[in-house]
Amino acid sequence: MTDIHEVLDRRAVTTLFQPLVEIASGRVLGYEALSRGPAGSPWETPAALFGAARQFGRESELDWICRARAYESALAAGLDEGLSWFVNMEPAAARTACPPDLAPVVERAERRLRVVTEMTERAIAVDPSGLLSAAAACRAAGWGVALDDVGADPMSLALMPFVHPDVVKLDMAMLRAPGDPHTARVVAAVAAYAEASGAVVLAEGIETEQHLAVARTMGATVGQGWHFGRPAPLAGPDGASASLPLITPPRNGVRTPFGIVAGRRPVARTTKAQLMPMSRHLEALAADGGEPAVLLACFQDARHFTPATARRFARIALSSPLVAAFGTGLSDEPAVGVRGACPGDDDTLCGEWNVIVVGPHRAAALVARDLGDRGPEGERRFDFALTHDRALVVEAARSLLRWLAPVRTPELLVG
């Protein structure tokens, strides 16, 4: 083939599969689909394939091609219907329509396959709204969601509860450095999430019996790696299989943080001057360098996002996976490294002052609703509620992500 356009136009992508195995029993629970370009071509590896497609603005199309080819192979294999098929997806592709020629196989897959869509933590920082929409669409089809490469980026742990994955895939580096302090922090955070949610912990990169033993100590119940099988075309069943459990999906609604928290926590009334110390305290939690945390704050109006506030938020953004400010008149980047969102003047969010912090081991939310006073600024009154209930805080935080647009990237030149 002469160029990447011919590869994509001919849908010249093949799929290899690697087994996912229940560690305790050795039973196969499913397979991960791994896409490859034409053998012997410059685009054979996934990195080269996607890099070339990205250069010409066809990455989302390639994502659809890879998924469709994986579904096609899984359907043709005729294996146990209880098996789970792990297939990677970039949330940006969910914003583009499926190419018409691929739609039939995608529709058959939705009816007949048990798919677990794999996403990476970087996707939520780039396009939070797109990721949540993509995850919701997967769950609406009865499919699951997996968070891939957890631990590869120290900031990924704070983003894990937003994805609310059915499966957490520990990056293979964790098995190679079990005594590293970073590994210990990752394993503790993943164990806490799995215990609270019922999610499955899967260890990637298991190549030896030693790796398998380490994976068990990290709480992994499912393994993947050369110890169980290398990527290969699908063959007939070679042993007992079982179904991988999925967890209860998170609640997704259209309520604001105040509506979510105030519905389940006591509400009090006070002035802006009295709320300020609480707000700054929560900012300080996010600024604590001990664990990267997500910070989301609603300012009602851009005038409340003062230069001093901008400096504080920019400092926090240096060590945070996601810092965002919401308010009428705010730009897409009101401070360096800070995401901005500008709700409409009639948006219910404009009446709220919220500060929400979510870290791997801590969570807190101050939510307040303006009562509309017109007096001195410090005497303006608010109804407010404060919570450290992790599940409630995460639900409130998730409700804000739909206002965040994808990060803008420079336009690519098409040759």
Side-chain angles (χ1 to χ4, degrees):
M1 295 192 182
T2 58
D3 59 27
I4 186 62
H5 295 295
E6 186 179 4
V7 172
L8 299 179
D9 292 343
R10 292 191 177 186
R11 310 315 198 203
V13 173
T14 58
T15 310
L16 302 180
F17 293 85
Q18 188 169 36
L20 310 175
V21 175
E22 186 176 53
I23 290 174
S25 68
R27 295 181 300 177
V28 174
L29 298 177
Y31 295 86
E32 179 178 357
L34 303 166
S35 298
R36 301 289 186 268
S41 75
W43 312 285
E44 182 173 359
T45 67
L49 183 64
F50 275 86
R54 188 178 303 114
Q55 181 182 357
F56 294 100
R58 299 183 69 178
E59 184 179 16
S60 291
E61 181 184 3
L62 174 59
D63 194 84
W64 277 109
I65 294 169
C66 291
R67 282 184 283 145
R69 284 288 178 254
Y71 301 154
E72 191 172 53
S73 297
L75 288 165
L79 299 181
D80 188 338
E81 292 184 359
L83 290 171
S84 297
W85 302 92
F86 282 55
V87 180
N88 289 278
M89 183 186 76
E90 290 295 332
R95 293 184 179 274
T96 63
C98 177
D101 64 302
L102 303 177
V105 69
V106 172
E107 291 169 0
R108 289 201 305 276
E110 289 180 349
R111 293 194 303 269
R112 295 175 51 191
L113 295 180
R114 196 169 189 267
V115 174
V116 176
T117 301
E118 290 197 28
M119 303 175 183
T120 58
E121 77 282 347
R122 61 184 167 80
I124 196 167
V126 173
D127 185 7
S129 178
L131 182 139
L132 294 185
S133 296
C138 291
R139 287 173 166 132
W143 292 357
V145 174
L147 186 61
D148 198 11
D149 300 331
V150 172
D153 184 337
M155 295 188 182
S156 66
L157 297 180
L159 298 170
M160 185 165 54
F162 293 93
V163 184
H164 196 76
D166 300 273
V167 180
V168 179
K169 300 188 73 176
L170 291 173
D171 186 74
M172 66 176 64
M174 301 294 100
L175 298 183
R176 275 75 176 162
D180 188 277
H182 169 65
T183 299
R185 288 192 293 270
V186 171
V187 170
V190 169
Y193 170 75
E195 184 177 357
S197 66
V200 169
V201 179
L202 184 155
E204 298 181 287
I206 296 177
E207 297 180 358
T208 66
E209 285 290 344
Q210 177 63 23
H211 291 157
L212 184 60
V214 172
R216 286 193 179 100
T217 68
M218 292 180 174
T221 58
V222 180
Q224 177 181 359
W226 290 1
H227 182 71
F228 301 112
R230 299 197 177 207
L234 283 174
D238 57 359
S241 62
S243 290
L244 184 144
L246 303 179
I247 63 177
T248 303
R251 288 191 286 186
N252 291 309
V254 296
R255 291 184 299 167
T256 60
F258 182 84
I260 290 168
V261 177
R264 281 174 271 172
R265 289 294 180 270
V267 174
R269 183 165 295 178
T270 192
T271 63
K272 178 177 180 178
Q274 294 297 319
L275 285 177
M276 283 300 298
M278 300 185 206
S279 176
R280 294 293 295 274
H281 170 67
L282 264 62
E283 288 181 24
L285 285 179
D288 179 1
E291 57 174 34
V294 171
L295 172 62
L296 308 175
C298 301
F299 291 87
Q300 298 185 270
D301 189 88
R303 64 190 172 91
H304 299 307
F305 191 78
T306 64
T309 303
R311 289 192 293 271
R312 292 197 309 274
F313 273 55
R315 285 196 299 270
I316 295 169
L318 292 173
S319 59
S320 168
L322 178 62
V323 176
F326 304 76
T328 302
L330 282 175
S331 66
D332 289 344
E333 190 176 18
V336 177
V338 177
R339 302 283 297 279
C342 179
D345 291 333
D346 58 348
D347 197 304
T348 54
L349 191 64
C350 294
E352 296 189 10
W353 172 10
N354 305 307
V355 183
I356 303 176
V357 177
V358 180
H361 302 286
R362 66 178 64 155
L366 169 66
V367 298
R369 183 172 59 193
D370 194 337
L371 295 180
D373 295 337
R374 293 290 180 261
E377 187 69 18
E379 296 179 12
R380 289 170 52 212
R381 294 174 304 154
F382 290 78
D383 283 341
F384 79 97
L386 182 66
T387 181
H388 292 266
D389 181 297
R390 186 173 185 81
L392 190 55
V393 172
V394 170
E395 185 179 347
R398 284 172 60 91
S399 75
L400 284 176
L401 298 186
R402 69 178 184 270
W403 275 278
L404 289 178
V407 172
R408 294 180 180 178
T409 56
E411 292 296 325
L412 295 169
L413 295 177
V414 179

